[in-house]
Amino acid sequence: MCRWSCSLGAITVIALPAAVVAQPMVPRDTARADSTRRDSTRRDTARVHPLEAVRVLGRIDDLIGTATSASEGRVGAADLRARPITREGELLETVPGLIVTQHSGEGKANQYFVRGFNLDHGTDFQTRVDGMPVNMPTHAHGQGYTDLNFLIPELVDHLDYQLGVSRAALGDFGSAGGAEFHLARTLDRPFATVETGANGLGRLAAGGSTRVGPGDLLVAGELKSYDGPWARAERISKLSGLARYSWANGASRFSLLAMAYHNHWDSNDQVAERAVDDGAISRYGQIDSTDGGRTQRYSLSGEWQHLGRASVQTVQVYGIRSALTLFSDFTYFLDDPVNGDQFSQAERRTVVGANAADVRQIEAFGVTHRVTVGVQTRADLIDGLGLYHTVAQRIIGTVRDDRVRETGSGVYAEAESRWTPWFRTVLGLREDAYTFDVRSDRAENSGDRTAAIASPKASVILTPSRWAELYVSGGYGFHSNDARGTVIRVDPSSGDSVARVDPLVRSRGAEVGLRATTVGGLRSTVSLWALNLDSELLFTGDAGTTEPSAASRRAGVTFANFYRPVASGRLFALALDADVSFARARFSGVDAGQTHIPGALEQVLAAGATWAPREGRVFGALRLRHFGSYPLIEDNSVRARASTLLNGDVGCRLSTGVQLQLTVLNLLDNRRADDIQYYYTSRLAGEPAGGVDDVHVHPVEPRQLRLSLGRRF
């Protein structure tokens, strides 16, 4: 795969999609690019020079002189595929300090943590796939719901990420940052992979590309089934497919991308810890054995990119059709002692949208400025947005049923100016406008709202040497609230009057960072950051969704390192990485002693070693993930246990082109580790009517082996 790229004066420009939220604007060169090219580029500010297309190897890329913060980067396919993973969303764990877990059936969106946020299923971290938004506003299960299960890992070409709010292209759900997956346009060779393992795992993935007419057609698919270690088998049945046609015409490049995904499963939700301690259920058992879900997603998108002499234009359009039905029971017999508390959340959604951007060189004040002007717009048409009381997946009552029409559009401008060889600035401004139209089954909860918000951003970059760069950045961001909460007047369960929430919630962030290249092949970044949010979104156990809460403030530090030795201009097969993140999260304006934010991770360590020779037959990897204890309740009297996991794999490539790989998940068989822990009130059969406050956990799966056999033809 290659991308159009050009050097605009002293600044390198990459023709990335307009909606890339984490675009580091880095060249496609790797450690193989030497300083001679960089120095000659800086001396020549009069012309546009196309850069040759070369492959991104991974985190080895040197971003000094091109990145605008210490908290942005790019991870290539080589590093992404070298990671032993349990679920597709774990590809995001290449973002420093980000943790991906699950609290329910594996068919749902994952649980995400980063920078002191329990993001629930994605709120406050914006995620895109080739320009298409993944976060879903006004979602049945949680604001900003981000389901990445439709991805086929073998087709991810690279991942761009950006933490913080300093980039103008970062809009809704971007307070903690954002990331974008870029999928392959062609494959060097067709591939087929068969995977099997413990707990009923079966997976088949295959794909290939060929020349058709003036362009390349890529087709791939995946089948997956899995039961898990649970007393009640999950019976995951997943089907994913992709077709992409790409072609070029002169200086323009085009792409059409179609994706399809369908999944259904039986859920194993978090359970009350007392039920395990009392022996009522096993650690991998369930209290309500009828939970489950089904989902589907279909999308069609198109992209046009044009490379001019001193500018790049990008236009993207997309349409997404999705549906979800969930059956969950988190409190058992607290609200309904007779029928139980199982509920269903459902929706059918159509999303249509477009992104456009123009990046060009402008000469002013004696220096060159790279100016980006862009627009992003989307409309969510949501029908059957319902919350129902159910028994064994049978509806016995309707809590609420809504139809929502929500639109959001943002325009932004950003100017990056290189005033001297060692001093750059980035100034940006973003303006977003939203409309909310809710038609509820209760007239008093229907209504319309509009809202707009402006988000200025700025960065100052100092480059004292070719080996180090210092960044000071800050800006404003936001997240939207559930449209139903913006017009609500009456609680549909109790009938009590309730206050409306603000449609758009302001965030304010700042960061000081350092990027350094020291010993040959070692890349290090450190960032000190702070973020204030006008209203926190928290998970509520009885509703299974997120609700607005008090204002919050966060601060922390992230130290990320990547080392791949380089000798005589050649890369070694060994790669080492270690990322450490500390965060402090507190509520603002609340009673003393009630300031801790439940679920806010305070310590994260991720480290790994990869052996991946280009020509050698044997390869392997080890990955360590640790997240420390964190508060489960506002007064900090109950805290989650720390969790440490070690995963590994080893494989060999045969002369026939066949690749054999053995993966061991939870290598140390840590059976006390939990994917997620909550603290709330629930009631088991026979307990007092008011229920019992308790920790509720979803355990990490025990050690298991997975074996895959693949071939590139």
Side-chain angles (χ1 to χ4, degrees), residues 133 231 322 331 340 343 358 402 421 652 688:
S322 66
T331 54
F343 59 92
D358 177 272
D402 302 277
C652 64

Side-chain angles (χ1 to χ4, degrees), residues 225-244:
S225 61
Y226 185 57
D227 291 333
W230 317 102
R232 180 199 183 207
E234 283 195 317
R235 298 196 303 170
I236 290 174
S237 179
K238 171 185 170 181
L239 172 64
S240 299
L242 178 150
R244 185 169 207 167

